[in-house]
Amino acid sequence: MMAPLALVALLAAAPQAAPARTDKLPVGICINIGNTFEPPAESAWGGKPLADDDMAIIAKAGFKTVRLPVRWDTHAGPGPDFKIDEAYMKRIRTAVEQARAAGLNVILNSHHFEAIHKDPLGSAPQLAAMWRQIAARFADMPRDHVWFEIENEPHEKFDNKNLIAVITPALKAIRETNPDRPVIVGGEFWSGIDSLATLPLPDDPHVVPTFHYYEPFDFTHQGATWVNPAPPLGRTYGTAEDVLRLKRDVEKIRAYIARTGKTPFMGETGAHTTTSLDQRVAYHRAVTAAFGPMDIGMCTWAYSNTFPFYDKEKKQWLPGLRGAMGLPE
């Protein structure tokens, strides 16, 4: 029998297996089509309907990918089929086709499916039924340019402990018609960066992790009416603690990649218009400078509403924001 100390030395000297690696998703610089298809109507929540030329405007500005948040459940019929309204399905199909015609990648997700956050396991069959229809309708889209995200920002009772059980039926439904399309999964607590530490992923080589970055929250969401209680107005960005936080958060991503062999991307980031444009520019510049060297995709929130980059009334991009993300102004 080998002596314990000799065994320890042998194990320490033996080459350790590297974590299985997967190709990172080529998201690049990305923008969310926010507050468009996830409200009750395209013109709700202060937004404007997606125009026929919006995707071309986004592509011309230099963005590589659009993330398309869609609320499907309010357009679905009763169970067990949960059939999605055909007119709505066609509307989303048109938006994706417009993006592809402009040369953009598309992240198509399920957004604001409120029931799943309150009753995750009970809502899993509906999520799977909806994704079976979505996946079949978009199966002909190029898998290198159109990607699915099962559910946006798990929170409340939907967390990392039950995530695999909840999303597995939906992933199986997707794989019936899309065997190797990239499928995106985010973790608990609204997919914040700390969710990655305990994020479980299905045993599927084409699953890609994501996280959202709105840190510090008391800056990015100050005065936000949908947050209760809302962080107070007046918080500025760029303190010494803000700089340290960015460094710590970058290290969290480095550690995740080293541990898992998977490269996550930033599915959302941004700051509310309750702060000044100069402050929003400073925030995006700092986040891009910190995470940019890691070559991870970053999707800002959002195109023309709430945290807007583009002014639809003036038909022009807000100055400084694109430059802060590394795009030409």
Side-chain angles (χ1 to χ4, degrees):
M1 184 176 182
M2 185 176 291
L5 288 178
L7 179 59
V8 169
L10 179 63
L11 291 173
Q16 300 297 307
R21 295 193 172 271
T22 57
D23 293 336
K24 62 186 174 187
L25 208 57
V27 172
I29 301 177
C30 162
I31 196 164
N32 279 270
I33 310 298
N35 290 5
T36 301
F37 294 117
E38 75 274 28
E42 281 186 60
S43 59
W45 297 355
K48 293 182 180 298
L50 187 73
D52 290 343
D53 62 346
D54 278 329
M55 295 299 188
I57 290 170
I58 290 168
K60 186 177 180 180
F63 290 96
K64 185 176 180 180
T65 301
V66 291
R67 183 170 178 260
L68 201 63
V70 180
R71 184 166 187 178
W72 301 95
D73 68 298
T74 52
H75 298 273
D81 296 333
F82 300 102
K83 181 173 174 54
I84 296 169
D85 177 72
E86 179 61 21
Y88 190 68
M89 186 73 86
K90 287 180 177 178
R91 178 68 183 110
I92 303 304
R93 173 81 189 199
T94 296
V96 174
E97 289 174 347
Q98 288 171 341
R100 287 299 307 131
L104 294 163
N105 301 319
V106 181
I107 297 167
L108 182 62
N109 83 2
S110 170
H111 214 91
H112 288 323
F113 181 19
E114 300 296 347
I116 204 164
H117 305 287
K118 301 181 186 306
D119 182 11
L121 292 172
S123 301
Q126 180 173 357
L127 185 69
M130 292 189 299
W131 270 112
R132 180 171 288 106
Q133 299 169 69
I134 301 162
R137 181 60 66 97
F138 291 92
D140 62 324
M141 289 287 181
R143 58 90 59 199
D144 290 339
H145 298 287
V146 177
W147 312 311
F148 298 157
E149 182 177 353
I150 292 180
E151 184 57 42
N152 179 67
E153 296 185 340
H155 57 274
E156 294 185 47
K157 295 180 180 180
F158 187 11
D159 57 30
N160 285 357
K161 294 186 292 295
N162 57 35
L163 187 141
I164 293 294
V166 174
I167 69 170
T168 292
L171 181 60
K172 288 182 176 178
I174 290 169
R175 291 293 177 239
E176 291 170 8
T177 52
N178 295 260
D180 63 353
R181 188 179 302 277
V183 173
I184 298 157
V185 173
E188 63 187 6
F189 301 125
W190 291 269
S191 299
I193 192 167
D194 290 328
S195 68
L196 290 173
T198 58
L199 175 65
L201 292 178
D203 184 16
D204 184 310
H206 304 293
V207 166
V208 179
T210 190
F211 69 101
H212 292 180
Y213 196 76
Y214 289 109
E215 303 297 341
F217 192 80
D218 63 344
F219 168 74
T220 63
H221 283 68
Q222 57 186 285
T225 56
W226 61 93
V227 178
N228 187 21
L233 296 170
R235 167 71 151 92
T236 58
Y237 185 75
T239 67
E241 176 55 33
D242 292 339
V243 173
L244 288 174
R245 181 196 290 266
L246 263 180
K247 290 181 179 178
R248 290 194 299 264
D249 288 343
V250 166
E251 289 309 310
K252 291 173 186 177
I253 300 301
R254 293 191 194 282
Y256 180 82
I257 295 170
R259 177 172 60 84
T260 67
K262 296 180 180 293
T263 301
F265 76 95
M266 190 183 295
E268 292 183 18
T269 187
H272 193 5
T273 51
T274 44
T275 188
S276 68
L277 178 59
D278 287 349
Q279 282 280 287
R280 293 180 65 210
V281 169
Y283 179 74
H284 278 288
R285 183 179 295 117
V287 171
T288 301
F291 290 95
M294 305 180 71
D295 195 27
I296 65 170
M298 288 185 274
C299 299
T300 184
W301 189 279
Y303 174 48
S304 64
N305 197 315
T306 312
F307 295 42
F309 267 50
Y310 186 75
D311 186 328
K312 280 201 166 191
E313 296 292 341
K314 297 180 179 179
K315 297 187 181 300
Q316 64 186 30
W317 293 93
L318 274 65
L321 288 170
R322 285 174 299 153
M325 292 193 75
L327 295 176
E329 283 287 326

